[in-house]
Amino acid sequence: GAGVSQSPSNKVTEKGKDVELRCDPISGHTALYWYRQSLGQGLEFLIYFQGNSAPDKSGLPSDRFSAERTGGSVSTLTIQRTQQEDSAVYLCASSLVGGNRAFFGQGTRLTVV
Amino acid sequence: QQQVKQSPQSLIVQKGGISIINCAYENTAFDYFPWYQQFPGKGPALLIAIRPDVSEKKEGRFTISFNKSAKQFSLHIMDSQPGDSATYFCAASTPRDSSYKLIFGSGTRLLVRP
């Protein structure tokens, strides 16, 4: 596709369940980022991939959060044992090289009930 | 050090007016300052960006003014239109951070009245 694609668009899950969020970056983009946007807040960095490796995981809020990227393309963000405070929009972005002109997907709105 | 402070939180402007959003930072290693526009239900979209070697950059109705000594930068939207109503985020990144991750301001919700 032409842009960054994320799925699902919306996810409602029960507290304590695990969820997987998917990001399909723009073809050829080696850098991939996950950000979190809580209601009425700015965007908070979670993790950065360059190719399949994640040299910067400094934004992951707890060990319940993990992410992987395969084939230098698709990335999955996994949240284990979800808590209500995990409710947010999770945004994925990609760029040709790190940083400049990062293109964002539409996000996955996660609601933990 | 890593924060970017954005103001105002919300802004109401009449059609045809000038919208001004301000950001301030502390980290002098920041060297890339983009502005993103976000409509409800959509991801942020890059609007315009500047590096600290210039004091102003203009693209159509959008202008970034950059004051390196004051560590401040601002977005000016000239001839504001109702279609500009959205949330605007400033951001910054530094090459010293190999991830080039963006540090975002808290956002400004702009409403342009017809």
Side-chain angles (χ1 to χ4, degrees):
Chain A
V4 178
S5 178
Q6 291 187 246
S7 61
S9 298
N10 286 283
K11 176 73 176 177
V12 180
T13 190
E14 291 182 353
K15 178 181 173 182
K17 300 279 190 181
D18 298 352
V19 294
E20 284 189 353
L21 312 179
R22 177 188 168 107
C23 172
D24 215 324
I26 294 172
S27 178
H29 281 193
T30 61
L32 185 147
Y33 303 82
W34 285 96
Y35 289 85
R36 178 168 71 175
Q37 185 173 26
S38 302
L39 185 64
Q41 300 295 312
L43 286 79
E44 172 191 18
F45 167 80
L46 297 177
I47 188 169
Y48 158 69
F49 285 92
Q50 180 59 244
N52 291 337
S53 64
D56 190 344
K57 306 178 183 179
S58 62
L60 293 179
S62 75
D63 58 9
R64 296 187 295 105
F65 288 72
S66 63
E68 66 174 11
R69 188 179 184 193
T70 56
S73 181
V74 172
S75 175
T76 303
L77 177 69
T78 301
I79 308 173
Q80 295 179 311
R81 305 181 302 281
T82 52
Q83 304 295 312
Q84 287 186 330
E85 61 262 29
D86 299 334
S87 295
V89 175
Y90 289 83
L91 290 156
C92 175
S94 70
S95 65
L96 268 176
V97 293
N100 296 353
R101 293 200 66 83
F103 294 86
F104 282 81
Q106 85 283 4
T108 293
R109 181 176 295 278
L110 175 67
T111 303
V112 182
V113 298
Chain B
Q1 264 284 18
Q2 283 289 82
Q3 278 189 322
V4 178
K5 296 183 179 179
Q6 183 171 348
S7 63
Q9 192 173 14
S10 62
L11 181 61
I12 300 175
V13 174
Q14 289 297 126
K15 178 182 175 182
I18 302 173
S19 304
I20 302 174
I21 304 171
N22 301 298
C23 284
Y25 63 96
E26 288 296 324
N27 187 351
T28 55
F30 285 148
D31 78 336
Y32 176 68
F33 302 88
W35 284 90
Y36 280 82
Q37 179 188 57
Q38 185 178 31
F39 292 104
K42 303 292 186 183
L46 180 63
L47 195 58
I48 186 172
I50 198 168
R51 294 197 181 272
D53 52 346
V54 297
S55 60
E56 187 175 281
K57 183 174 181 180
K58 184 176 180 179
E59 289 184 2
R61 296 184 294 109
F62 300 92
T63 299
I64 299 179
S65 296
F66 188 84
N67 186 329
K68 189 173 181 179
S69 60
K71 291 185 283 187
Q72 294 175 348
F73 58 110
S74 60
L75 176 69
H76 296 232
I77 306 174
M78 312 301 285
D79 186 28
S80 299
Q81 299 297 312
D84 297 330
S85 298
T87 300
Y88 293 81
F89 293 95
C90 62
S93 70
T94 168
R96 293 186 191 175
D97 184 340
S98 61
S99 70
Y100 287 91
K101 61 178 175 279
L102 293 167
I103 308 300
F104 283 89
S106 54
T108 296
R109 183 172 287 185
L110 171 66
L111 176 63
V112 181
R113 293 199 189 280

